[in-house]
Amino acid sequence: MVRAKYQLSDAVRLRQDEDVLDTWFSSALWTFSTLGWPEDTAALKTFHSTDLMVTGHDIISFWVSRMIMMTLKFMDESAV
């Protein structure tokens, strides 16, 4: 499909990046994993939860929704 769309010859080697899903998964943990979680650190107490997030509209459903779901699950929080 990609070869036809971009008119690539068979000589062009294509491969799928192996870390794509891991990157999306681990980035969803960013809001608390960078603050010392699972330990109850001072940074975690100070900077979590993230009451305000400024981001591009194009990644809201892909990245931010994952961050919200992971935070609710692993920080044992409930959606209100």
Side-chain angles (χ1 to χ4, degrees):
M1 178 181 252
V2 172
R3 286 190 189 282
K5 181 177 180 180
Y6 294 102
Q7 301 173 357
L8 299 174
S9 74
D10 290 337
V12 176
R13 183 173 176 254
L14 300 176
R15 75 173 176 86
Q16 182 175 349
D17 190 327
E18 298 170 0
D19 293 331
V20 172
L21 293 176
D22 291 343
T23 300
W24 278 103
F25 178 80
S26 62
S27 66
L29 305 173
W30 180 84
T31 61
F32 53 91
S33 65
T34 59
L35 300 173
W37 177 87
E39 305 300 321
D40 193 19
T41 65
L44 190 59
K45 289 177 185 175
T46 302
F47 299 109
H48 182 79
S49 87
T50 51
D51 294 329
L52 173 67
M53 179 173 284
V54 178
T55 186
H57 68 85
D58 54 334
I59 66 167
I60 292 293
S61 62
F62 297 111
W63 184 39
V64 177
S65 61
R66 284 180 180 84
M67 288 171 49
I68 292 168
M69 290 185 291
M70 293 291 196
T71 299
L72 292 173
K73 170 68 177 172
F74 291 110
M75 294 295 295
D76 198 27
E77 297 177 357
S78 61
V80 180

